């Protein structure tokens, strides 16, 4: 594999994991409005969705590790085991994002 192919491959893995991070991170908060009180105004409530926080942390660790992998790939050729770990981290990031997306939200 040429140097350019290695850099493009590592960059692609990083971008995919970053998209997984984006999906998980955008779901960390939930907003709802309570029924109007005696004054007739509805109050805005914001809660944290804990599974999204966990998914965000998993995806963030994967993105940081893949960023380090990209730096190493730019500098030199890396062993095949490191590529396997990079692919596994990318898959973990995507799986975390999918699980956060399909998780049941609490009802208020």
């Amino acid at each position: 594999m040429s140097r350019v192919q290695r850099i493009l491959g590592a960059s692609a893995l990083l971008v995919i994991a970053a998209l997984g991070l984006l999906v998980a991170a955008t779901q960390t908060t939930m907003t709802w409005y309570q029924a109007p009180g005696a004054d007739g105004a509805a109050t805005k409530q914001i809660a944290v969705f804990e599974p999204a926080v966990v998914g965000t942390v998993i995806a963030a660790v994967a993105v940081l590790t893949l960023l380090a992998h990209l730096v190493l790939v730019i500098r030199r050729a890396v062993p095949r085991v490191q590529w396997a770990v990079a692919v596994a981290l990318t898959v973990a990031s995507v799986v975390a994002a999918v699980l956060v997306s399909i998780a049941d939200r609490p009802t208020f």
Side-chain angles (χ1 to χ4, degrees):
M1 186 184 297
S2 72
R3 183 173 190 261
V4 173
Q5 288 174 331
R6 290 192 312 261
I7 292 172
L8 288 175
S11 299
L13 292 175
L14 179 62
V15 167
I16 293 168
L19 289 174
L21 174 62
L22 180 68
V23 168
T26 58
Q27 300 181 40
T28 55
T29 58
M30 296 180 301
T31 305
W32 78 96
Y33 293 89
Q34 283 187 330
D39 60 354
T43 56
K44 183 177 182 179
Q45 303 292 321
I46 298 174
V48 175
F49 185 50
E50 288 88 6
V53 174
V54 173
T56 301
V57 169
I58 291 170
V61 169
V63 166
L64 290 174
T65 306
L66 288 168
L67 185 62
H69 173 72
L70 177 61
V71 169
L72 287 175
V73 165
I74 289 172
R75 295 181 68 201
R76 61 178 171 84
V78 294
R80 289 181 193 261
V81 173
Q82 190 167 341
W83 282 104
V85 170
V87 169
L89 286 170
T90 303
V91 169
S93 176
V94 171
V95 167
V98 168
L99 289 177
V100 167
S101 296
I102 64 173
D104 290 332
R105 305 297 196 269
T107 56
F108 300 102

